[in-house]
Amino acid sequence: MGNNFSYLDGKSEFQEFARACIEAEDSLKTSPTACIRNCRAALEKIMKWLYARDGKFSIDEELNNSTTQDGKSFGELYKMMSSAAFANEVGRDLNKKIHRIRMLGNDAMHGRDDGRELTRDEATQCLRNLFDFVQWIDRQYGKKFEPRRFDRDNLPASKKGSALGNLAIILILAAALAIAAMSILGIEIPWSKIFSLTSK
């Protein structure tokens, strides 16, 4: 099974953030929260790369001087994503998608006010949004752009699912060893009882 971002490894121009994107998807097997947190970290790396590479993007003075409702300064990622030059360049739909990554990333780092857990669907949405943004970056700045599609089938299974699968294998092996030991010791195996139990 591949990784939706693995193609970035072969693009030298994106090495500053390629590994962060790949690891964001790989971390879905650990937990949705870890995945979302890593999506946000990858997004921040991409934004810093973009601002350093393209001189037409700069943070609006108004954003630098304004504060949130509780008087705090806006974070650097928010300011980069909300500057007029960037927002106009990427368009409303894509900007909305990456702001979603930022907001869910904040929840992943600080927790939700209502205590709800972040879900695999939300993590998948972050990965898809990140993928769409990376495609836009590749189209604008890549050496050889090739359109690609996000493939949900490439997403890794959670460790919980893997643990259940491993438990089943362990139980089967334990049963096989018990049967082998009983045969070696000459203990009669009550096959009729076993089959009657499994058929219920």
Side-chain angles (χ1 to χ4, degrees):
M1 186 175 288
N3 179 301
N4 285 290
F5 299 95
S6 58
Y7 76 95
L8 291 174
D9 256 346
K11 296 179 82 70
S12 59
E13 64 269 40
F14 300 142
Q15 289 312 293
E16 288 180 44
F17 58 80
R19 183 50 42 188
C21 294
I22 293 166
E23 289 174 358
E25 183 170 332
D26 285 344
S27 66
L28 183 59
K29 68 181 106 176
T30 303
S31 74
T33 300
C35 176
I36 292 168
R37 190 165 44 238
N38 289 335
C39 282
R40 188 192 187 282
L43 173 62
E44 192 158 6
K45 282 192 172 187
I46 295 169
M47 291 300 296
K48 287 179 177 177
W49 174 90
L50 181 61
Y51 269 68
R53 188 190 187 285
D54 196 331
K56 71 184 170 197
F57 298 123
S58 61
I59 294 172
D60 301 339
E61 195 62 32
E62 183 182 342
L63 282 167
N64 274 328
N65 295 329
S66 57
T67 59
T68 62
Q69 288 181 341
D70 55 2
K72 294 179 181 177
S73 176
F74 286 109
E76 184 182 14
L77 180 59
Y78 176 85
K79 289 190 281 191
M80 287 191 291
M81 293 167 62
S82 301
S83 68
F86 174 77
N88 291 336
E89 187 75 15
V90 298
R92 182 179 176 185
D93 289 343
L94 185 53
N95 202 16
K96 190 174 177 182
K97 286 181 178 183
I98 59 175
H99 268 291
R100 179 70 172 156
I101 298 171
R102 179 189 60 78
M103 291 185 289
L104 284 171
N106 289 343
D107 290 339
M109 289 189 292
H110 307 298
R112 284 175 162 157
D113 292 339
D114 58 11
R116 286 183 302 119
E117 293 288 325
L118 290 156
T119 67
R120 184 178 173 91
D121 282 345
E122 288 171 322
T124 300
Q125 182 187 52
C126 281
L127 287 168
R128 183 187 294 276
N129 291 357
L130 183 65
F131 181 85
D132 288 346
F133 186 44
V134 168
Q135 280 285 284
W136 181 86
I137 291 284
D138 195 6
R139 187 181 301 112
Q140 302 298 318
Y141 303 98
K143 292 177 181 175
K144 289 183 179 179
F145 172 67
E146 179 185 335
R148 299 169 189 273
R149 294 180 64 186
F150 183 82
D151 188 353
R152 289 179 68 103
D153 292 338
N154 282 341
L155 298 177
S158 65
K159 279 189 175 178
K160 184 179 179 183
S162 300
L164 289 173
N166 291 339
L167 179 61
I169 292 169
I170 290 167
L171 291 173
I172 291 167
L173 288 174
L177 286 172
I179 291 168
M182 290 172 75
S183 296
I184 291 168
L185 295 171
I187 300 170
E188 187 177 338
I189 301 169
W191 291 111
S192 58
K193 280 189 175 182
I194 292 170
F195 288 133
S196 66
L197 286 171
T198 56
S199 62
K200 286 182 180 178

